[in-house]
Amino acid sequence: MTDPAWLEEGLDHIWLPYAQMKTAPRPVPVKSTHGTRIILHDGRELIDGIGSWWTAVHGYNHPYLLEAMGHQLALMPHVMLGGLAHEQAYTLATRLAGLAPGDLSKVFFCESGSVAVEVALKIAVQYWRNTTGQVRPKFLAFRGGYHGDTFATMSVCDPDDSMHSLFGPALPSQYIADLPTDEARTETLERLLSTHSDIAAVIVEPLLQGAAGMRMHDIVTLKRIREACDRHGLPLIFDEIFTGFGRLGGMFAATVSGVTPDIMTLGKALTGGVSPLAATIASRSIYEAFHSDDSTKALMHGPTYTGHALGCAVANASLDLFEREPRLDQVAAIDAHLSQAFAPLRALPQVADVRIRGSVGAVEMRGAFDVQGMRRRFIQEGVFIRPIGKTVYLAPAYTIAPADLSTLTKAIVDMVTEQKSR
Ligand SMILES: *Cc1c(COP(=O)(O)O)cnc(C)c1O
C-alpha cells in the first residue's frame, strides 16, 4: 500500500524531533491506536513496547480517559488561571499534593517536562534570593542525566554524552558530578558542594536515568545525594518526569526509595499519554520563601496554558485509574516477566548489562549496532521498540497483556542473540 497523501505532502514541511531530515528513515504512518496496539495506515498492527515516549501507561484510548476528556471538552476546554479558577486544575493540585511524599504540596502546572524543570530551577534560584538575598546562579547535576531540551535544562544534562553537547558554548556552565555510587565519588560530590557557594540546587533523575539508556542506580546512592544536600542546606530536585506514576513499581521513585526531594517535576505519564501537561511540586518550606507581603518574592512564571483544563481532567481520570485498577501490581508482574525473559541474555558475550526495575527492562550491548536497521526490523516483526544508543529497552503500558509482553521480549531476545553473528 502506498503512503497517504498527507504524509507525502507534509514531509516537505514538517520538521521532526531529533531527526536529520535528509537521512532519517521515513516515519511509519499510523491510522489509530487501541490498548497496546498501534494500527498502521496499511492495516498492520504493532505491539507498542514504549508507550509513546513512556506516557501511555494505561494503554491507548482507555475509555475512561476518553470519557473524562470528552466531558470536560463539552463543559469547557480551558479557561486561564489568571484571575479565574476551574475545578480540574484545583482538584488535580490537591490530589498530587496528597500523593507526593513528605511535605511536597505546592503544585505549579505547565505543558511540558522541560518547562517543569525550568520552573524547578527558577524556584531554586529565587528561593536563595528570597531567603538570604544570595545570588546562586548554578546547579549541580549528574553525569548521565537528561532533564529536557530548553536552554537551562540542556545545561543540566550530561554535557558530553548527550544530544546537546553541540550547544555547550551557548549554555550556562554547571557543576556536573558522577552519581555517588561509591566512597570516592561521594567525596568528590561533597568537595564540589563545599567549595562552591554559588550552587542553588542539586538535580537528579532518581533511581533511573532514562534518556541516557535506562541507567539505574540504587537507593543508597540517592540517600547519599540527599544527605549531601542536607549537610549543605541545598534544595534537592527529583526529576520524576519519567519515573513518576508507577514506572518503577511505586507511585514515584521518591516513594520507592523513601528519599524525599524538596522539589519534584512530573510530566510524561501524568495524563496517561493523552494530553501534554507537566507539574512542578515544591515542599511547603520552599514555598514559604515565596509567601510574603513583598510582591517581588512571587514566583514569576506563567505559561499561557497553565493548568489546562482538558489536560487536568484527563490527569484526574488517570489518577482514578491508579486508584481503581491494580496498576502497581501490574508493574510488579511486568518486572517479574522481564526479569525472567531477559535472564538468559546476561550470559551472552555481546551483552554488557541487563537492567530491570518495575516496568522498565533494558539490555545494553557491548558494541555499537545498526540502530536504524534494528528499528526497521522490529517494525517488520510487528513490534514498536526504539533502541537508544547501545541499549534496547521496553517501557510498556502497565496494562499490557502477558502474551503481548512475551512477543516484545522474544523480539528483543532474538534480535540481541542474533547480533553475535554480525
Ligand atoms: C522526557 C523528560 C524530560 C522532558 O520532558 P518534555 O515533556 O519532553 O519536555 C525531562 N526530564 C526527564 C527525566 C524526561 O524523561
Side-chain angles (χ1 to χ4, degrees):
M1 191 188 248
T2 55
D3 281 341
W6 54 258
L7 180 64
E8 298 290 345
E9 287 162 19
L11 272 174
D12 240 4
H13 301 288
I14 201 160
W15 201 337
L16 294 170
Y18 307 126
Q20 170 46 265
M21 295 301 292
K22 184 166 182 189
T23 53
R26 177 174 277 230
V28 185
V30 174
K31 195 169 63 187
S32 62
T33 52
H34 70 81
T36 42
R37 303 300 178 98
I38 300 168
I39 293 95
L40 303 183
H41 172 74
D42 63 11
R44 281 182 299 158
E45 282 194 13
L46 304 181
I47 300 171
D48 191 349
I50 56 172
S52 277
W53 269 332
W54 323 333
T55 62
V57 292
H58 311 287
Y60 295 110
N61 305 45
H62 195 291
Y64 185 74
L65 298 187
L66 300 194
E67 191 195 310
M69 204 169 184
H71 180 76
Q72 184 62 36
L73 185 61
L75 206 60
M76 169 177 72
H78 180 55
V79 65
M80 64 187 269
L81 291 197
L84 301 170
H86 63 77
E87 183 179 354
Q88 296 300 337
Y90 281 68
T91 301
L92 183 59
T94 304
R95 294 178 77 176
L96 290 176
L99 284 170
D103 73 341
L104 289 168
S105 60
K106 301 290 180 174
V107 183
F108 187 95
F109 291 115
C110 60
E111 328 73 349
S112 84
S114 299
V115 176
V117 175
E118 293 275 344
V119 171
L121 301 177
K122 269 173 90 167
I123 289 175
V125 169
Q126 200 177 344
Y127 164 81
W128 286 102
R129 181 193 174 277
N130 285 358
T131 51
T132 65
Q134 285 176 323
V135 180
R136 288 184 173 238
K138 304 271 185 213
F139 300 95
L140 186 136
F142 294 97
R143 231 170 280 287
Y146 171 78
H147 300 289
D149 293 351
T150 55
F151 269 79
T153 62
M154 281 197 290
S155 79
V156 288
C157 291
D158 187 308
D160 307 312
D161 187 17
S162 87
M163 51 205 163
H164 301 319
S165 50
L166 109 114
F167 287 101
L171 300 178
S173 70
Q174 311 291 11
Y175 300 103
I176 306 291
D178 287 317
L179 283 164
T181 47
D182 59 26
E183 284 302 313
R185 288 174 175 158
T186 309
E187 273 167 35
T188 309
L189 174 64
E190 182 61 33
R191 201 162 45 243
L192 275 170
L193 295 182
S194 47
T195 25
H196 300 287
S197 55
D198 55 353
I199 297 174
V202 174
I203 181 166
V204 67
E205 283 174 274
L207 300 181
L208 173 65
Q209 295 178 311
M214 306 297 149
R215 296 191 207 167
M216 300 176 188
H217 54 267
D218 56 17
I219 293 171
V220 174
T221 300
L222 209 52
K223 286 204 169 120
R224 291 189 183 121
I225 297 172
R226 178 71 267 182
E227 285 159 12
C229 286
D230 288 345
R231 263 195 301 281
H232 297 280
L234 286 170
L236 175 58
I237 303 168
F238 274 7
D239 179 350
E240 294 232 26
I241 291 169
F242 179 33
T243 53
F245 303 104
R247 184 57 70 185
L248 301 182
M251 208 51 182
F252 307 104
T255 24
V256 171
S257 64
V259 182
T260 306
D262 304 288
I263 303 172
M264 177 191 268
T265 55
L266 298 171
K268 294 220 160 79
L270 173 56
T271 66
V274 176
S275 174
L277 187 72
T280 309
I281 310 185
S283 70
R284 206 166 273 280
S285 55
I286 294 283
Y287 178 82
E288 287 293 314
F290 294 75
H291 201 68
S292 162
D293 293 323
D294 179 352
S295 64
T296 68
K297 290 194 171 176
L299 176 63
M300 277 302 151
H301 203 95
T304 305
Y305 281 104
T306 183
H308 191 245
L310 279 178
C312 290
V314 76
N316 277 315
S318 173
L319 293 183
D320 291 344
L321 290 179
F322 274 101
E323 284 169 10
R324 292 177 195 175
E325 298 184 4
R327 286 293 174 268
L328 300 184
D329 296 340
Q330 289 167 323
V331 171
I334 293 172
D335 188 320
H337 191 135
L338 293 174
S339 300
Q340 193 175 27
F342 288 160
L345 296 179
R346 288 183 200 276
L348 298 182
Q350 67 270 38
V351 171
D353 196 14
V354 175
R355 296 183 285 271
I356 288 142
R357 187 174 280 159
S359 64
V360 180
V363 183
E364 184 180 325
M365 307 296 290
R366 239 174 247 292
F369 55 89
D370 173 13
V371 170
Q372 298 294 3
M374 196 184 276
R375 287 177 178 176
R376 201 168 48 242
R377 291 218 13 233
F378 277 132
I379 290 176
Q380 282 162 3
E381 289 173 20
V383 295
F384 192 67
I385 296 169
R386 306 254 303 167
I388 36 183
K390 286 190 216 162
T391 302
V392 191
Y393 76 96
L394 294 175
Y398 309 156
T399 50
I400 191 163
D404 280 355
L405 190 55
S406 293
T407 307
L408 290 170
T409 54
K410 181 172 185 309
I412 288 180
V413 168
D414 290 352
M415 196 76 76
V416 165
T417 308
E418 186 189 303
Q419 291 301 310
K420 186 170 41 179
S421 49
R422 301 206 159 170

